[in-house]
Amino acid sequence: MPGAALYIHIPFCEKRCLYCDFYTVAGVAERIPDYVLALQREIALRAEENFWQRQQFETIFFGGGTPSLLSPAQLAEILEACFASFNFSSTPEITLETNPGTIDNTQLARYRTIGVNRLSIGVQSFDENELQLLDRIHSPEQARAAVVGARYAGFKNVSIDLIFALPNQTQKRWRENLQQAVELSPNHISAYNLTIETGTPLDFAIRKGKISPLTEEEEREMYEFTMNFLAQHGYCQYEISNFAQPGYEARHNIKYWDGSAYLGLGASAHSFDGRRRFWNVANLRKYLELTSGGALAEESGEDLTAQQKRFEFAFLGLRQTRGLDLQEFQRRFRMPFERAFNGIVQELEHDGLLERENDFLRLSKEGIFLCDEICARLEG
Ligand code: SF4
């Protein structure tokens, strides 16, 4: 079985961004020390479980929220607890998500010394007006300084996140964003099409007519430009929203997509043991209460049905540009892919949305734009 992944959710943020629907809490930084202790308790409890004891972890990802609100000393405590409790491969990828508004060069250098070897910087945009619209706490200068500072601190693996199709964003402005990104030469770029999540302030603003989203055609033009532009600048697209210089694909994300087990720690974190998916309470107070009483903060879980497992494998495989491994599908599920999704695969191929090469099935050039629709058709 391939190695496992460890995800650690840090829910604290200075301020909520307009579009965000992650589980985060703003303005309660005084709870961070309790949270660090709670994570250590949760690590100890999970390490007693046979399944997680048997795993070899290959990645650790501090996500959020804003993990860079934790001091290097606090992150070091969590890392030490992980290394003392679980088995790791010899060179695990250790990623820290950072907000450019919360870091300086000294802090970056200390993150490097405690063992973080990959920085994921939440730039989102290099445009002042766009950052203000999104309610981000940082400026374009801080975003650029974070990438430069990461290199200065010795990080050899730096990723940035960008969002396109922002309200009022012109094609020209998005292209300028991409141009600035490649000039900084990060090793990895995640470029996400803005999603309007229900219940977010962005969703309310759109419903009230205060903000207008872009049209599908405008989004598509931006996405198409992104794929071509990043390819020309040496970034290989390996997933719908992810582009990397050769050898810098995110090992942690690939674990999610190839069906590996992952353990999620912290409030709202999700886990998967190959059979069952389960998740922690998305409530800081409850999480702290439960863990301080010596209990796990698991809220609920579900055993995946055989059809759910087949669909997940298909959906996650198709999101990757190398495609879905048909032989691996047959090996895992003891049936050909075509039989599992009776008739639909042929239809999608006939419509020119899926294409085959050797033993891989992948989205065609047209299919990439319709990934969600294709997955909905497969799900039935
Ligand atoms: S900093 Fe990130 S996690 Fe926090 S509110 Fe903004 S988008 Fe959400």
Side-chain angles (χ1 to χ4, degrees):
M1 191 166 175
L6 187 59
Y7 173 78
I8 302 175
H9 190 72
I10 307 293
F12 304 94
C13 287
E14 272 190 26
K15 183 176 151 198
R16 292 276 300 171
C17 301
L18 186 79
Y19 55 96
C20 181
D21 82 329
F22 296 126
Y23 175 64
T24 65
V25 283
V28 289
E30 71 279 2
R31 307 307 310 266
I32 291 177
D34 290 342
Y35 193 76
V36 172
L37 281 176
L39 281 173
Q40 291 173 68
R41 287 196 199 98
E42 190 183 10
I43 290 166
L45 288 170
R46 285 296 181 201
E48 285 171 10
E49 294 179 3
N50 273 337
F51 181 82
W52 300 113
Q53 254 173 27
R54 288 200 311 272
Q55 300 307 307
Q56 185 178 66
F57 287 90
E58 292 179 354
T59 64
I60 303 179
F61 192 101
F62 287 97
T66 308
S68 51
L69 283 177
L70 267 59
S71 68
Q74 286 167 327
L75 286 169
E77 275 181 50
I78 301 168
L79 281 175
E80 273 164 31
C82 293
F83 288 123
S85 310
F86 300 116
N87 300 313
F88 282 88
S89 60
S90 54
T91 52
E93 176 190 87
I94 305 178
T95 304
L96 178 73
E97 276 189 344
T98 52
N99 182 316
T102 63
I103 43 176
D104 59 34
N105 284 359
T106 317
Q107 204 177 336
L108 285 172
R110 290 184 61 210
Y111 287 142
R112 183 75 198 89
T113 11
I114 62 165
V116 175
N117 52 27
R118 182 171 184 271
L119 267 201
S120 169
I121 303 174
V123 169
Q124 317 312 356
S125 169
F126 289 104
D127 182 278
E128 184 80 58
N129 294 328
E130 290 179 354
L131 289 172
Q132 276 175 15
L133 170 84
L134 296 175
D135 281 335
R136 299 289 297 175
I137 60 167
H138 60 88
S139 65
E141 293 70 34
Q142 283 174 303
R144 282 187 287 272
V147 182
V148 174
R151 295 295 192 205
Y152 190 69
F155 282 97
K156 302 219 164 16
N157 192 348
V158 175
S159 174
I160 66 170
D161 284 0
L162 295 172
I163 306 179
F164 66 92
L166 304 179
N168 300 325
Q169 189 172 47
T170 58
Q171 301 293 333
K172 179 169 176 283
R173 251 199 282 153
W174 171 239
R175 290 171 189 199
E176 284 165 3
N177 267 308
L178 283 174
Q179 180 62 39
Q180 295 209 44
V182 298
E183 279 170 14
L184 288 164
S185 196
N187 308 95
H188 184 280
I189 299 178
S190 299
Y192 298 108
N193 191 335
L194 177 72
T195 314
I196 298 152
E197 303 287 357
T198 312
T200 56
L202 175 64
D203 178 37
F204 290 126
I206 287 175
R207 283 203 234 172
K208 283 189 185 153
K210 289 187 182 161
I211 292 180
S212 313
L214 296 195
T215 63
E216 271 181 31
E217 292 70 39
E218 287 170 317
E219 292 186 358
R220 185 177 167 138
E221 189 179 335
M222 285 182 185
Y223 185 42
E224 194 160 14
F225 181 84
T226 307
M227 291 189 284
N228 293 332
F229 182 84
L230 291 180
Q232 283 159 16
H233 287 81
Y235 292 88
C236 176
Q237 181 174 21
Y238 66 105
E239 196 261 355
I240 292 279
S241 310
N242 286 286
F243 304 80
Q245 292 173 344
Y248 287 94
E249 295 81 7
R251 283 162 56 194
H252 185 83
N253 289 354
I254 291 172
K255 295 252 158 246
Y256 294 146
W257 303 326
D258 74 6
S260 300
Y262 54 86
L263 175 62
L265 303 170
S268 82
H270 282 56
S271 305
F272 176 62
D273 65 6
R275 188 181 58 84
R276 186 167 171 269
R277 207 173 11 220
F278 49 94
W279 51 90
N280 282 346
V281 288
N283 179 308
L284 178 65
R285 188 182 49 75
K286 275 196 201 155
Y287 176 79
L288 293 175
E289 262 172 31
L290 286 164
T291 46
S292 64
L296 285 170
E298 197 173 313
E299 180 178 60
S300 191
E302 58 174 349
D303 285 325
L304 298 189
T305 63
Q307 185 55 19
Q308 274 175 318
K309 283 186 196 161
R310 291 192 286 262
F311 171 69
E312 284 217 350
F313 187 85
F315 158 71
L316 296 171
L318 287 175
R319 286 189 65 90
Q320 299 178 68
T321 46
R322 64 161 209 168
L324 178 123
D325 185 338
L326 294 168
Q327 276 198 1
E328 177 61 17
F329 187 94
Q330 165 87 46
R331 194 191 65 74
R332 283 193 192 200
F333 303 111
R334 297 200 167 82
M335 66 169 76
F337 184 70
E338 292 75 4
R339 180 138 62 85
F341 295 94
N342 208 359
I344 304 165
V345 181
Q346 290 82 349
E347 264 178 40
L348 291 167
E349 282 186 281
H350 178 263
D351 294 348
L353 300 176
L354 293 182
E355 58 192 25
R356 279 166 207 259
E357 195 177 307
N358 303 323
D359 282 321
F360 284 83
L361 186 72
R362 61 176 175 234
L363 298 173
S364 65
K365 205 161 180 282
E366 180 62 19
I368 284 186
F369 298 108
L370 299 170
C371 179
D372 292 343
E373 192 187 300
I374 292 167
C375 290
R377 277 169 74 179
L378 284 171
E379 200 169 14

